[in-house]
Amino acid sequence: MENKNCTRYIKPCINIDKNTKYRKKAYSRLFAVITAFSICSSILPCTKNVSYASVTEGDNVKDEMNEMEESQKVELSLNYSARKIIYGTCSYLSDFEVYNASGVLIDPGEAEWMSSDESVATVKYGTVFINGTGETVITVAYNGNTASCNLEVVKPEVKINKSELKDRLVGDKCTDWYTSTEETDIDIKSGNKKVVKPNDDGSLKVLSLGKSVITVKAENGNTVKYTMNIKKRHLYLSDDETLNISQYIKNIKNYENAVWTVSDPSYIDILEDSTIKPLKPGRVTLNTKLNGKKYKINLRITNYDIMKELAMSALKDNLRYPASLSVNNIMHDGRSVTIDYSSMNKYGGYDRDKFIMKVNMGGEYICETVSIYN
């Protein structure tokens, strides 16, 4: 009996212990849930901040990536997209520079440089070394991108227009008698400055009878020569001018001993000091013999009033509306008459031009019209 009672008594005791165990487990689970909820609650604001920071950081990374992509683009920086230089003026060019699209200068040592024709130029670390004349393409490569520009190395070449110097006369001024392929310094020399004298503007002035070798040299270019042979003098004088003829033969030995004869004394009068005084318009010849050689000078004596009248008549014949003619100025140099004028054009407006009438060696009149702005 005692054992049974004892057994019955013990069972309830055992049940009570189980409930207590269950409660502890329940409390533990509840505590875990509450703890987890608290942890989650504390984590939620942090998670939001982390998400926001991640977006901002992503934008910055994206911008940096874009900048890196832009920095890969290459541009070749030059003063000109196509450059021309004169051979001999410099041995190298150091102003070839590479920039990225953001305008940042790239170290030339980090880029790869090439020249399409190394007989013209070679490139090293951005410096172009000139080797000869011709054309080449300078190319730079950087991070898979390339850029290039043209480079031309030339030598100036001068040419003499022989027709402009042939059969020239004492007193003539020669202009536009040579051409140059490049803009460079031109050196002009005369072998006999008493016969032909170079002027600062590049023109030549014929001073007297004789020969002179004219030399034209282009800086860093070629040199050409031409021999001018001045055989005679054709004078264009107005009837109110005088001229001393000795100056045109002063390069000849004993020129002061020359004795002149006139083909027709009614046209000119030779004074004791070798001064020629025109008497009337026309053509006349002077002759002399000096040092066993004969010299001949042809004179064309012109009259300003006659030339002006002829020029005005010729000008009116060339105008579309002669009645609209307005003369601004008339110039005369003994050899030509230049009329500065204005006249109506076909559109109803007014043009300003120059009408020039020249007398050639045969006594013929040659006319031309040019713009006043030329």
Side-chain angles (χ1 to χ4, degrees), residues 83 85-93 128-131 153 220:
R83 164 172 284 203
I85 65 170
I86 295 178
Y87 183 76
T89 56
C90 60
S91 57
Y92 64 91
L93 302 171
V128 178
F129 297 90
I130 308 302
N131 301 325
V153 184
N220 299 298

Side-chain angles (χ1 to χ4, degrees), residues 30-237:
L30 179 61
F31 180 78
V33 171
I34 294 172
T35 303
F37 178 79
S38 300
I39 292 174
C40 290
S41 299
S42 62
I43 289 176
L44 281 177
C46 181
T47 303
K48 183 177 181 181
N49 292 336
V50 169
S51 176
Y52 177 79
S54 299
V55 171
T56 303
E57 183 179 355
D59 290 341
N60 292 336
V61 171
K62 185 177 180 181
D63 292 340
E64 291 178 1
M65 290 295 292
N66 290 337
E67 290 180 1
M68 290 180 63
E69 290 179 0
E70 286 293 322
S71 66
Q72 305 304 309
K73 298 180 181 179
V74 177
E75 296 177 358
L76 188 61
S77 175
L78 280 175
N79 291 335
Y80 311 97
S81 58
R83 164 172 284 203
K84 178 189 289 186
I85 65 170
I86 295 178
Y87 183 76
T89 56
C90 60
S91 57
Y92 64 91
L93 302 171
S94 59
D95 55 349
F96 281 70
E97 297 178 335
V98 188
Y99 292 87
N100 61 22
S102 300
V104 178
L105 181 66
I106 297 172
D107 185 352
E110 296 180 358
E112 181 181 358
W113 298 83
M114 293 158 284
S115 171
S116 63
D117 189 344
E118 295 193 347
S119 66
V120 177
T122 54
V123 195
K124 186 176 182 180
Y125 301 116
T127 299
V128 178
F129 297 90
I130 308 302
N131 301 325
T133 58
E135 296 183 12
T136 186
V137 178
I138 306 301
T139 304
V140 61
Y142 180 75
N143 287 348
N145 295 280
T146 61
S148 61
C149 70
N150 297 327
L151 177 65
E152 183 179 6
V153 184
V154 298
K155 274 191 173 183
E157 181 179 354
V158 288
K159 293 182 179 180
I160 291 179
N161 187 350
K162 297 180 180 180
S163 62
E164 288 294 321
L165 299 184
K166 188 178 181 180
D167 296 329
R168 282 293 185 169
L169 309 169
V170 177
D172 284 350
K173 183 178 181 180
C174 311
T175 60
D176 301 326
W177 55 276
Y178 74 89
T179 57
S180 176
T181 56
E182 306 297 335
E183 291 187 4
T184 186
D185 291 337
I186 303 295
D187 183 36
I188 302 172
K189 293 183 178 179
S190 172
N192 191 342
K193 294 183 180 180
K194 292 183 179 180
V195 175
V196 181
K197 177 185 177 182
N199 297 318
D200 293 338
D201 61 359
S203 62
L204 299 175
K205 180 68 174 179
V206 181
L207 301 177
S208 63
L209 305 177
K211 292 183 180 180
S212 180
V213 178
I214 306 301
T215 304
V216 186
K217 183 182 186 306
E219 185 179 14
N220 299 298
N222 69 327
T223 301
V224 291
K225 297 182 179 181
Y226 179 78
T227 300
M228 294 185 68
N229 188 5
I230 312 303
K231 298 179 180 180
K232 56 186 177 180
R233 161 67 177 164
H234 193 104
L235 300 177
Y236 295 89
L237 304 173

Side-chain angles (χ1 to χ4, degrees), residues 318-332:
N318 290 337
L319 294 179
R320 180 183 293 270
Y321 305 107
S324 66
L325 174 63
S326 175
V327 177
N328 304 311
N329 190 20
I330 299 179
M331 295 159 283
H332 176 252

Side-chain angles (χ1 to χ4, degrees), residues 224-254:
V224 291
K225 297 182 179 181
Y226 179 78
T227 300
M228 294 185 68
N229 188 5
I230 312 303
K231 298 179 180 180
K232 56 186 177 180
R233 161 67 177 164
H234 193 104
L235 300 177
Y236 295 89
L237 304 173
S238 60
D239 58 2
D240 57 352
E241 291 181 278
T242 60
L243 181 68
N244 190 299
I245 198 168
S246 295
Q247 63 178 308
Y248 300 110
I249 60 168
K250 61 183 179 182
N251 64 303
I252 302 174
K253 185 179 180 180
N254 301 322

Side-chain angles (χ1 to χ4, degrees), residues 353-366:
D353 299 299
K354 289 188 295 186
F355 182 80
I356 304 172
M357 187 182 72
K358 299 179 180 179
V359 183
N360 64 16
M361 289 184 62
E364 299 172 340
Y365 296 96
I366 302 173

